[in-house]
Amino acid sequence: MEGVRPPPLRSLDDFLLSSARFALPDVRDLDRWNNRIINNLLYYQSNYFLSALGLLLLVGYFRPFQLFVGAVVVSLLFLGFVWAAENQAPIRRFRRNHPLICVLAVLVASYLLILVLGGVAVFLFGIAFPIMMVLLHASMRLRSLKNKLENKLESIGLKRTPMGLLLEALGQEQEAGS
């Protein structure tokens, strides 16, 4: 994480308003569309982060308890999945030795999940809607000369940003900057 710095916030005019140019992507050329998305994610990452945070806070303002409950349930299910994936042998042994407890645990977990499903839906909407908006903008926003220059600096390693590290972790580093 050394040398990683957040990129500047792009102006609203550049991000959305008059100087911004938008066009539908060519769905027949998936490589070009992918390239546009990745480069826009790199260039507008600060704007995307603030937009997603704003939408999440808006959902949290209207449904704070459901958002909190949903976040807890999704986090616990995720942690449970990770734990189970790491410790398969003990889980198999416990299930074999205590089948009644396992069945009851599954029934109780199912009941609780159904009980808080509204909160989970609110939380997932609070997360999914900003991601959808980011991908929609990144798909349709045409790149400018400044955008292309910033992406080249990122791709040759002169600038390291959080989105650049995320895309690198997702195996998209070769696409960035092209």
Side-chain angles (χ1 to χ4, degrees):
M1 295 300 279
E2 186 178 317
V4 175
R5 58 182 180 176
L9 190 63
R10 309 300 173 186
S11 71
L12 189 61
D13 187 54
D14 181 28
F15 186 60
L16 283 176
L17 300 177
S18 62
S19 73
R21 299 176 316 141
F22 293 91
L24 290 174
D26 183 8
V27 294
R28 293 170 294 183
D29 189 357
L30 294 180
D31 288 336
R32 188 170 181 201
W33 187 9
N34 187 42
N35 184 40
R36 182 193 290 187
I37 290 173
I38 289 172
N39 285 293
N40 281 331
L41 286 174
L42 286 169
Y43 187 71
Y44 295 110
Q45 62 187 284
S46 295
N47 296 66
Y48 291 147
F49 175 74
L50 286 177
S51 299
L53 183 64
L55 289 170
L56 187 61
L57 289 174
L58 188 64
V59 170
Y61 176 75
F62 288 109
R63 302 277 188 196
F65 182 72
Q66 288 89 347
L67 183 70
F68 175 75
V69 169
V72 168
V73 169
V74 169
S75 298
L76 289 176
L77 287 173
F78 178 74
L79 289 173
F81 173 75
V82 169
W83 181 82
E86 301 259 337
N87 302 302
Q88 291 177 356
I91 292 173
R92 280 194 302 263
R93 208 171 20 254
F94 184 81
R95 186 180 60 206
R96 189 176 44 239
N97 294 335
H98 307 286
L100 182 61
I101 293 174
C102 289
V103 169
L104 289 175
V106 168
L107 290 175
V108 168
S110 299
Y111 173 74
L112 292 175
L113 185 61
I114 291 169
L115 185 67
V116 297
L117 197 56
V120 172
V122 168
F123 175 72
L124 291 178
F125 177 76
I127 296 296
F129 186 69
I131 291 172
M132 183 188 73
M133 295 307 296
V134 164
L135 289 177
L136 184 67
H137 182 274
S139 290
M140 297 185 71
R141 177 67 168 92
L142 296 175
R143 296 170 57 205
S144 65
L145 185 59
K146 186 176 179 183
N147 181 322
K148 291 178 183 179
L149 179 63
E150 289 286 327
N151 290 142
K152 280 296 179 194
L153 290 174
E154 172 77 21
S155 69
I156 60 175
L158 296 177
K159 291 177 72 179
R160 302 222 6 114
T161 62
M163 184 65 74
L165 294 175
L166 177 64
L167 290 172
E168 189 175 302
L170 294 173
Q172 298 295 316
E173 70 276 354
Q174 74 279 3
E175 302 287 336
S178 49

